Amino acid sequence: MKEIILKRDLSVTNLVDLETIMPLNIVNSIGSKATNLGLLKQIQKELKSYKTPEYAFAIPFYYFDQHIKENNFQDKINALYAIPKDSVKLLEKELKAFRKMVKNSKVNPELLKKIEEKLNAQTDFKNFRFRSSTNAEDMEGFNGAGLYDSKTAIIGDPEKTVEKAILDVWSSFWNFRAFQERDLFGINHESCAMGVLVHRSFPDEKANGVLVTRNLYRNQYVGITVNVQLGEESVVKPEPGVTCDEFYCHTFNGFGSFVVDYRSTSKSKQWKTDSY
C-alpha cells in the first residue's frame, strides 16, 4: 500500500473566524471539519434556508504543533511510532499513558487568553463545543467518524474549562482507534495534525447523527444515508444494547418523491417511516 502524506500548513497563527469568507487552502491549516462548517456558513448567507451553530471559529494546526514542541513531546511520540504494528496491547497501553500526559499538560496562556476573550465577547451562550478538526477525517475516501473526541466547555465552570476541553480534543489524536485506522489506510501519522472547531453547544440535543451524502446501499439511486439516534445517545459510540436508526432516502432514477427505507430501528424510534 502506498503511504499517504497529508498536507499540513502551520503558517496560520491566529484563531480563524468561520463567519467570514475564508481562502480555499485554509483546510490545510484548520482541518476539514472546521473548513466545511465555514463553507456551509457562506452558503447559508445566500440561501437562508438552514441554520448553522453560532459563534464558530477554529484553532489552527499551529497551536497543536506548538504544544508538542513546548512540552517536549516529540521523543515520546516517535517512540509510539516505533512500536511494532503487531504489538497491539503494548501500543494501546502506551497510547493511553501518552493521552494522560497530554491531558495533564498546560495550554499556552496566550492561546487561552485569545479564546476566552473571544468567548466572553458574546453574551448569548455559556456552553461551547470543542471538536476535532484534523486533516485525517472528513476527507475523500476516509471519513474518520468517531475516531476523535469532542468536549464541552462552560464559561465560568471550574470543571468544564476551556483548557480541559482543548487538551481532551488534542489528546484524542492518539486514541487507539484513530491510530489504528490511520495505519489501516496507510496515512502517515507525522503528516497529520489536529485543529479544533469551536461553536456554541446544544446541551439538550433532539438527536445525534451522521449523514452521508450518497446512497450507500443502492448505488443506482440518488440519495443520502442517515445514521441517527434520538437525544444525547452517541451514534459512533453508543452504549451497549443501543441500536441506532439507520435509513436511506432516495428517489427512483431521480424522479418522484423521496422514499425512506430503514435498515435498523431503535427502541426509542419516533421517526416518520412513510414515503414523502
Side-chain angles (χ1 to χ4, degrees):
M1 178 187 296
K2 185 178 179 181
E3 187 178 43
I4 299 173
I5 307 293
L6 301 177
K7 294 180 180 179
R8 66 172 197 165
D9 181 359
L10 305 179
S11 64
V12 176
T13 60
N14 289 313
L15 302 179
V16 178
D17 186 352
L18 300 180
E19 306 290 340
T20 60
I21 295 176
M22 306 177 301
L24 291 177
N25 63 349
I26 197 70
V27 66
N28 297 324
S29 299
I30 64 175
S32 301
K33 192 178 294 178
T35 301
N36 290 342
L37 179 57
L39 293 173
L40 282 173
K41 283 184 170 292
Q42 300 313 310
I43 299 171
Q44 176 190 353
K45 291 177 183 178
E46 297 179 16
L47 299 182
K48 303 183 187 303
S49 59
Y50 63 88
K51 293 183 179 180
T52 54
E54 299 91 336
Y55 298 104
F57 62 92
I59 304 171
F61 295 162
Y62 167 80
Y63 290 104
F64 176 72
D65 184 73
Q66 183 189 51
H67 190 74
I68 291 172
K69 291 175 179 175
E70 289 178 348
N71 289 275
N72 299 312
F73 284 154
Q74 193 58 55
D75 286 345
K76 295 179 178 64
I77 293 171
N78 291 341
L80 293 172
Y81 296 152
I83 296 174
K85 295 184 186 297
D86 58 354
S87 300
V88 178
K89 292 295 184 182
L90 176 61
L91 176 61
E92 187 173 12
K93 176 185 174 183
E94 293 302 320
L95 285 170
K96 183 178 180 180
F98 184 67
R99 288 196 304 274
K100 184 176 181 180
M101 187 180 299
V102 174
K103 291 179 181 182
N104 288 333
S105 60
K106 295 291 183 182
V107 173
N108 183 288
E110 291 184 9
L111 172 60
L112 272 181
K113 183 180 178 181
K114 285 183 181 180
I115 295 171
E116 289 171 349
E117 285 178 349
K118 192 170 184 66
L119 296 182
N120 289 324
Q122 59 79 43
T123 56
D124 295 323
F125 305 103
K126 285 189 173 295
N127 294 28
F128 282 84
R129 196 68 169 163
F130 285 67
R131 306 172 62 193
S132 67
S133 182
T134 72
N135 54 352
E137 62 181 322
D138 295 326
M139 55 188 282
E140 186 175 354
F142 187 81
N143 65 65
L147 297 184
Y148 311 103
D149 298 338
S150 298
K151 295 294 177 180
T152 295
I154 302 176
I155 297 175
D157 190 306
E159 296 296 326
K160 294 190 175 184
T161 64
V162 169
E163 181 171 44
K164 186 176 186 300
I166 294 171
L167 292 172
D168 281 353
V169 175
W170 277 348
S171 69
S172 72
F173 181 83
W174 291 280
N175 280 345
F176 179 61
R177 59 183 182 272
F179 205 90
Q180 284 210 308
E181 197 79 359
R182 293 195 298 263
D183 264 346
L184 180 64
F185 279 80
I187 297 174
N188 179 282
H189 296 291
E190 294 179 81
S191 68
C192 301
M194 174 73 81
V196 182
L197 166 61
V198 185
H199 58 67
R200 61 81 47 113
S201 179
F202 299 85
D204 299 314
E205 295 177 327
K206 292 183 178 179
N208 243 300
V210 175
L211 183 148
V212 180
T213 53
R214 70 183 180 90
N215 191 330
L216 295 177
Y217 304 104
R218 293 189 175 186
N219 290 329
Q220 69 270 39
Y221 300 131
V222 175
I224 60 174
T225 305
V226 181
N227 195 308
V228 66
Q229 177 67 27
L230 281 174
E232 301 281 348
E233 186 64 57
S234 171
V235 171
V236 295
K237 294 186 294 180
E239 293 295 322
V242 172
T243 300
C244 296
D245 290 274
E246 185 176 5
F247 58 89
Y248 51 94
C249 310
H250 64 90
T251 59
F252 291 98
N253 298 320
F255 298 101
S257 60
F258 267 105
V259 175
V260 180
D261 289 329
Y262 274 84
R263 290 179 59 81
S264 66
T265 57
S266 68
K267 292 180 180 178
S268 59
K269 188 173 81 67
Q270 297 176 11
W271 311 106
K272 182 178 178 180
T273 59
D274 298 332
S275 302
Y276 60 93

